[in-house]
């Protein structure tokens, strides 16, 4: 290792020259310590943005020891006048002020236009005339013995005094370059010595002349590839180490880097980045693979437990059936024998005594019933083996009594099996299902004899009844006043299935939405009675199921998982798990979904189950919550006849236990039509044509002269009549618009004003059925409006709609259903598990995001300008744009992908706060892992001075911030505009900071998250620049407007922005799209 020592002066030579040794330097060292302490205190007060701890900064800048070699050498060279040549406090203040205002210090008493001695030249210093305290607040006179600046000191031009060089600097004496006439390495011109000076000094160059920022005084900095323990010693970096510019020690290279050469400026961290990539990739693969593997194992175990329980339940029920048949056979045999004996006893050879006894027949012969000619008949009397399946009783009291009876019979070593185990739960569920198949779907429980002593209801208890009666129900659009429904009157009864039919545009879906309280942007008139009392249907939302026309299900979940999720947050909280399993298994069996229960539903990009199966899953999501009122919008659309029958059979089962079922249909087959109890026909304009039993609909229309032709489906014929396609052959003037009036006349309802003319015409000519007047078109008077009036009307409609949505959002309806569903914390746990499972199954998309981040980190790391001249301040702007853009676009999927599912779940009563927090908590995984992935490339390609940990913390908080902003875009906007805003916002926020505008635009930077992220990055870098870098650090921070102590504050502001963005996103979740969440 080569060591450069100034003038090659050894310690023995210094000792010979200075007999006083260290005691003579004591006062000098004390003066330097006092001066540097005073200096750093002044810097901290005047430049607090870049100096936070004066004492610490003094140790980092001027932390040399009393026995430093350069002090001994300077003391010897100056013949003991070192103390009088040191700059005082006032001179140092002038120097530092000149760094901000100009290149040279302002004129002073020693160096001005009239007095300019040799000591005023760069690299030279003079001595004071008398004693001088360096901490004094004045400039002393310096005119004697000008000498070149000592090694380890620098002498600014225009001050004629010396200042100690900071740590990390290399300040040897300058040498004259004969070719250029400049003093190397500092570059100032050589000095023309006067005669007095030439007598003692042989050189025309002095020492170091300047300490400023790195762009101005780079020559004073310890060269890159070398380290300077003191300001007079420069050592080559040894093998296995690297030395940056201005280093005071050599930094060891990482174990994974190749640092075999000497004088390395920085280590090559590409291998470290590659290792981190491999580790991250393997970790992610392990997480995703093992999670899928564990879920598959769990799925297989559950499937096996279901299969075993189902098989055992079937065997058990089959044995009960065989035992029941055997008893019936034995009973028939005993009856046959009794009849035979009766005939025998009635013969003459048998006599009856006076005491009632019978003679002539051996009564001691045992009676054997006649069981037929089968050879296996006698085996029926033998006890039949029952499979060892324990079926859980629905009646808890019966179960406890049986446990108490069996407890005394068990040996001490035998214990009861856990009834909460998975096998026991499945055994109970499938046992109940097999009973339903064996004994039929009936409301009452089978007898204990039928179920072999296992009581319990077969298909569940009766639901709380909800009867809907609606009188003069009319619906008007807000603003335009258009009438969608007109005076609809009728009743939906519990335990009955009502079909709502009519041509397109008749308002069938609107009518059911009005009954379910889901209409928006409209005004509803009339009265809806719930169980005979007027009230809001929203009060019973927890026991109302609404099946939308679109199949809104989670495509990344399986069929069973979709049903389980719906049951988890909508069934009563006190329902045992075994009963929940029974409910889900019953719906799966009823809808014929057993073969696809473990299949994913699928999405548009990735196909899953068929469309008909998806429709049945859509229906099952509402049936699984055991509703009292079930409303379905076209549940059989797109289904074949077999699937449609399965759906209607499942609805019939629901009706049998008291559920009020309303269904919108389009032209069902006659077989399906006869499965309904009631039917409601609506004509165009939302007017009622018929409401009543299905068995009486043909009789009613026949009375109106509408006879169904042979081989024509009655509902199809009635739909054609309402559409105006078909008219009775014997009524050429028939008008379908008169049918609602005829129904009102038939039921004795009040006829609205707009139909009074038609009603009068019908009453006058009812016998002849003259429709000519009613067929005359109504002359509409067109209303002329100006453009301003149209704009005002549209504005009124917009305001009225938004006010209605706001009132709906803040209005809380009293809960009257009596069902207690899981609370916010329980729903959070349910949703968290579901979202986490969905994220695991979206591993390919996640890996694509990670690969893009890796590529972006590598590209941005290469392009970043991490130059020491600006402390890396210009190297993070690309990061702010690229990272924020990629993270925001990926975060849009959190809420935009399943927005339809959220609307449906919100309408069914899910807690929106729990939903939002659960999704955000799952995304915290990406908030942590994405900074690691990005920095694994960026950090090791750009190689900043700040630590990896500090960069990771800043990046993580930045990702947290922009993720919250992405939530707002995803919730408020459609996917396409949300993506555009996710690209535009990061670019705008970063350009505002990078442009460095003044005035209003400069004020906007304080609102941009990019300012605080960039400030945190720069401060993390600046904290690593110490010693000789102090002035450079202050210059850069001052130009950027940053403060060294604000690193934590910047992180807090970014986290605050992220939290505020999430609160805004949550409010948007509450108040936006309220019409879809009713």
């Amino acid at each position: 290792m080569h060591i450069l020592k100034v003038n090659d002066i050894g310690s023995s030579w210094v000792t010979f020259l200075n007999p006083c040794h260290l005691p003579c330097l004591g006062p000098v060292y004390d003066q330097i310590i006092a001066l540097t302490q005073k200096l750093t205190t002044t810097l901290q007060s005047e430049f607090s943005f870049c100096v936070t701890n004066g004492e610490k900064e003094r140790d980092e800048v001027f932390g040399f020891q009393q026995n430093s070699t350069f002090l001994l050498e300077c003391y010897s060279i100056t013949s003991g006048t070192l103390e009088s040549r040191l700059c005082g406090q006032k001179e140092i203040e002038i120097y530092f002020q000149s760094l901000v205002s100009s290149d040279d210090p302002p004129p002073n008493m020693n160096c001005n236009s009239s007095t300019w001695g040799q000591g005023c030249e760069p690299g030279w210093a003079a001595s004071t005339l008398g004693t001088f305290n360096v901490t004094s607040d004045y400039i002393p006179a310096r005119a004697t013995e000008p000498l070149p600046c000592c090694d380890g000191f620098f002498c600014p031009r225009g001050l004629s005094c010396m200042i100690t060089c900071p740590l990390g600097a290399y300040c040897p004496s300058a040498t004259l370059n004969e070719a250029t006439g400049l003093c190397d390495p500092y570059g100032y011109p050589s000095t023309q010595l006067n005669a007095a000076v030439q007598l003692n000094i042989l050189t025309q160059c002095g020492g170091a002349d300047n300490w400023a920022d790195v762009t101005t005084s780079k020559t004073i900095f310890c060269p890159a590839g070398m380290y300077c323990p003191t300001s007079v010693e420069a050592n080559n970096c040894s093998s296995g180490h690297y030395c940056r510019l201005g280093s005071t020690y050599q930094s060891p290279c990482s174990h994974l880097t190749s640092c075999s050469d000497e004088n390395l400026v920085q280590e090559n961290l590409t291998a470290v980045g590659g290792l981190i990539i491999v580790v991250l990739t393997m970790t992610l693969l392990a997480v995703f693979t093992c999670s899928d593997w564990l879920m598959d194992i769990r799925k297989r175990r559950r499937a096996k437990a279901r299969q075993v329980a189902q098989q055992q339940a079937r065997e058990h029920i089959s044995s009960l059936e065989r035992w029941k048949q055997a008893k019936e056979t034995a009973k028939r045999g005993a009856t046959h024998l009794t009849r035979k004996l009766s005939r025998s006893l009635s013969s003459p050879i048998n006599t009856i005594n006076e005491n009632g006894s019978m003679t002539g027949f051996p009564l001691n012969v045992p009676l054997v019933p006649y069981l037929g000619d089968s050879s296996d008949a006698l085996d029926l009397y033998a006890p039949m083996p029952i499979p060892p399946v324990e079926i859980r009783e629905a009646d808890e009291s019966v179960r406890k009594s049986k446990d108490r009876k069996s407890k005394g019979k068990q040996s001490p070593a035998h214990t009861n099996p856990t009834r909460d185990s998975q096998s026991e739960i499945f055994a109970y569920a499938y046992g109940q299902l097999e009973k339903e198949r064996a004994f039929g779907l009936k409301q009452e429980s089978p007898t204990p004899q039928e179920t072999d002593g296992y009581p319990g209801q077969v298909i569940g208890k009766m639901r709380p009844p909800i009867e809907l009666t609606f009188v003069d129900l009319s619906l008007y659009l807000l603003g335009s006043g258009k009438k969608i429904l007109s005076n609809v009157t009728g009743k939906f009864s519990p335990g009955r299935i009502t079909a709502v039919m009519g041509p397109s545009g008749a308002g069938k879906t609107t009518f059911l939405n009005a009954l379910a309280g889901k209409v928006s942007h409209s005004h509803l008139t009339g009265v809806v009675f719930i169980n005979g009392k007027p009230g809001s249907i929203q009060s019973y939302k927890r026991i109302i199921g609404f099946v939308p026309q679109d199949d809104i299900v989670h495509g990344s979940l399986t069929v069973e998982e979709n049903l389980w999720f719906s049951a988890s947050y909508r069934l009563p909280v006190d329902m045992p798990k075994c009963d929940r399993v029974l409910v889900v298994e019953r719906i799966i069996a009823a809808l014929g979904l057993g073969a696809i229960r473990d299949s994913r539903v699928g999405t548009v990009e990735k196909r899953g189950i068929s469309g008909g199966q998806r429709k049945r899953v859509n229906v099952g999501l509402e049936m699984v919550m055991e509703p009292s009122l079930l409303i379905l919008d076209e549940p059989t659309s797109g289904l074949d006849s077999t699937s449609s029958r399965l759906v209607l059979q499942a609805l019939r089962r629901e009706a049998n236990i008291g559920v009020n079922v309303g269904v919108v249909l389009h032209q069902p087959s006659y077989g399906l039509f006869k499965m309904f109890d009631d039917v409601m026909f609506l004509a165009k304009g939302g007017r009622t044509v018929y409401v009543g039993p299905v068995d009486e609909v043909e009789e009613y229309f026949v009375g109106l002269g509408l006879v169904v032709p042979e081989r024509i489906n009655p509902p199809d014929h009635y739909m054609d009549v309402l559409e105006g396609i078909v008219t009775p052959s014997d009524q050429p003037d028939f008008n379908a618009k008169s049918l609602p009036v005829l129904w009102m006349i038939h039921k004795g309802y009040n006829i609205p004003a707009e139909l009074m003319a038609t009603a009068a015409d019908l009453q006058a000519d009812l016998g002849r059925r003259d429709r000519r007047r009613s067929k005359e078109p109504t002359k509409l008077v067109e209303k002329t409006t100006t453009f301003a009036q149209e704009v005002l009307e549209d504005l009124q409609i917009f305001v009225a709609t938004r006010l209605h949505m706001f009132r709906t959002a803040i209005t809380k309806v009293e809960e009257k259903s009596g069902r207690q569903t899981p609370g916010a914390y329980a729903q959070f746990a349910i949703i968290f598990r579901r979202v986490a499972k969905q994220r695991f199954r979206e591993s390919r998309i996640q890996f694509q995001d990670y690969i893009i981040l890796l590529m972006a980190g590598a590209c941005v790391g290469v392009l970043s300008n991490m130059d020491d001249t600006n402390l890396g301040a210009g190297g993070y702007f690309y990061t702010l744009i690229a990272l924020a853009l990629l993270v925001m676009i990926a975060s849009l999927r959190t809420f935009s992908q399943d927005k339809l599912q959220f609307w449906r779940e919100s309408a069914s009563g899910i807690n929106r706060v729990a939903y939002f927090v659960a999704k955000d908590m799952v995304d915290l995984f990406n908030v942590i892992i994405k900074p690691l992935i990005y920095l694994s490339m960026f950090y090791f390609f750009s190689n900043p001075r700040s630590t990896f940990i500090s960069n990771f913390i800043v990046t993580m908080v930045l990702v947290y911030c922009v993720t919250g902003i992405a939530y707002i875009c995803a919730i408020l906007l459609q996917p396409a505009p949300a993506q555009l805003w996710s690209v535009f916002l990061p670019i705008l926020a970063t350009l505002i900071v990078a442009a460095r505008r003044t005035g209003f635009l400069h004020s906007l930077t304080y609102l941009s998250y990019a300012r605080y992220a960039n400030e945190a990055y720069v401060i993390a870098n600046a904290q690593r620049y110490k010693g000789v870098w102090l002035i450079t650090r202050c210059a850069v921070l001052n130009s950027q407007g940053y403060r060294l102590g604000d690193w934590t504050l910047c992180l807090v502001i970014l986290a605050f922005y992220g939290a505020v963005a999430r609160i805004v996103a949550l409010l948007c979740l509450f108040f936006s799209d309220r019409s879809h969440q009713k």
Side-chain angles (χ1 to χ4, degrees), residues 773-960:
R773 183 176 179 182
S774 62
K775 289 182 66 176
E776 294 180 358
T778 305
K779 296 182 180 180
L780 299 177
V781 180
E782 295 184 0
K783 181 181 178 182
T784 59
T785 58
T786 63
F787 176 77
Q789 290 175 338
E790 292 180 358
V791 172
L792 182 60
E793 289 179 0
D794 292 341
L795 181 61
Q796 290 175 348
I797 294 173
F798 177 81
V799 173
T801 303
R802 292 298 181 267
L803 288 177
H804 176 74
M805 293 174 58
F806 180 76
R807 286 194 298 267
T808 304
I810 64 176
T811 302
K812 188 175 183 180
V813 183
E814 181 184 0
E815 174 60 38
K816 298 180 180 179
S817 64
R819 174 177 292 187
Q820 186 67 29
T821 54
Y825 179 78
Q827 290 191 26
F828 164 79
I830 295 170
I831 300 170
F832 182 86
R833 289 193 296 268
R834 186 203 74 187
V835 177
K837 186 177 295 183
Q838 290 176 308
R839 291 292 183 273
F840 281 128
R841 289 177 178 170
E842 295 172 355
S843 57
R844 288 188 177 182
I845 299 178
Q846 297 289 336
F847 272 113
Q848 292 176 6
D849 293 343
Y850 300 154
I851 291 173
I852 294 174
L853 279 174
L854 285 174
M855 297 173 60
C859 295
V860 175
V862 172
L863 296 175
S864 296
N865 180 22
M866 290 294 176
D867 191 1
D868 287 329
T869 58
N870 58 6
L871 308 187
Y876 290 101
F877 288 116
Y878 293 130
T879 290
L880 296 177
I881 295 176
L883 184 62
L885 189 148
L886 294 175
V887 169
M888 286 184 67
I889 291 179
S891 299
L892 294 178
R893 294 195 298 265
T894 302
F895 289 98
S896 61
Q897 274 191 338
D898 54 357
K899 186 178 291 186
L900 295 177
Q901 289 84 345
F902 166 72
W903 289 344
R904 179 175 184 176
E905 293 164 359
S906 177
S908 62
I910 198 171
N911 189 286
R912 290 185 286 270
V913 176
Y915 174 85
F916 182 88
V917 175
K919 286 221 161 193
D920 187 40
M921 290 292 291
V922 173
D923 271 5
L924 287 181
F925 173 79
N926 281 328
V927 172
I928 297 174
I929 200 68
K930 285 186 176 180
L932 284 174
I933 294 174
Y934 179 80
L935 290 176
S936 65
M937 287 285 94
F938 172 79
Y939 182 83
F940 298 105
F941 273 96
S942 61
N943 202 5
R945 291 210 179 193
S946 55
T947 63
F948 184 87
I949 296 299
S950 62
N951 277 266
F952 169 73
I953 294 174
V954 178
T955 308
M956 181 179 64
V957 180
L958 172 63
V959 170
Y960 177 78

Side-chain angles (χ1 to χ4, degrees), residues 32-223:
I32 294 176
I33 292 298
L35 177 63
T36 54
Q37 288 178 345
K38 188 71 174 179
L39 173 63
T40 51
T41 302
T42 303
L43 290 176
Q44 184 176 359
S45 60
E46 295 186 3
F47 304 100
S48 58
F49 64 90
C50 65
V51 179
T52 56
N53 189 335
E55 187 65 27
K56 182 179 179 182
E57 293 290 348
R58 196 210 70 82
D59 294 337
E60 292 173 350
V61 178
F62 305 107
F64 46 83
Q65 301 297 322
Q66 178 178 353
N67 58 352
S68 297
T69 305
F70 76 97
L71 291 179
L72 295 174
E73 295 172 356
C74 186
Y75 189 86
S76 300
I77 292 173
T78 60
S79 302
T81 61
L82 172 60
E83 183 177 359
S84 63
R85 298 178 183 272
L86 295 176
C87 290
Q89 178 181 348
K90 188 63 176 179
E91 292 169 303
I92 292 179
E93 290 179 0
I94 292 176
Y95 172 73
F96 280 105
Q97 291 174 359
S98 68
L99 295 178
V100 180
S101 59
S102 61
D103 294 335
D104 295 328
N108 54 76
M109 63 177 298
N110 296 315
C111 302
N112 51 60
S113 58
S114 59
T115 304
W116 190 271
Q118 186 67 39
C120 295
E121 294 297 328
W124 288 74
S127 177
T128 59
L129 296 176
T131 59
F132 169 67
N133 190 344
V134 295
T135 59
S136 301
D137 192 16
Y138 65 92
I139 298 178
R142 299 179 183 273
T144 61
E145 301 181 8
L147 293 174
C149 203
C150 294
D151 297 333
F153 292 85
F154 71 96
C155 300
R157 181 179 184 272
L159 282 183
S160 68
C161 60
M162 299 191 306
I163 305 175
T164 54
C165 289
L167 294 178
Y170 180 53
C171 303
S173 298
T175 58
L176 178 64
N177 189 329
E178 299 291 344
T180 61
L182 300 179
C183 296
D184 291 338
Y186 306 110
Y188 58 83
S190 60
T191 304
Q192 184 67 33
L193 302 178
N194 55 40
V197 175
Q198 289 180 4
L199 295 176
N200 300 320
I201 303 300
L202 300 179
T203 179
Q204 294 178 328
C205 293
D209 68 322
N210 188 24
W211 172 39
D213 60 280
V214 68
T215 58
T216 306
S217 59
K218 188 176 182 179
T219 55
I220 201 177
F221 284 71
C222 187

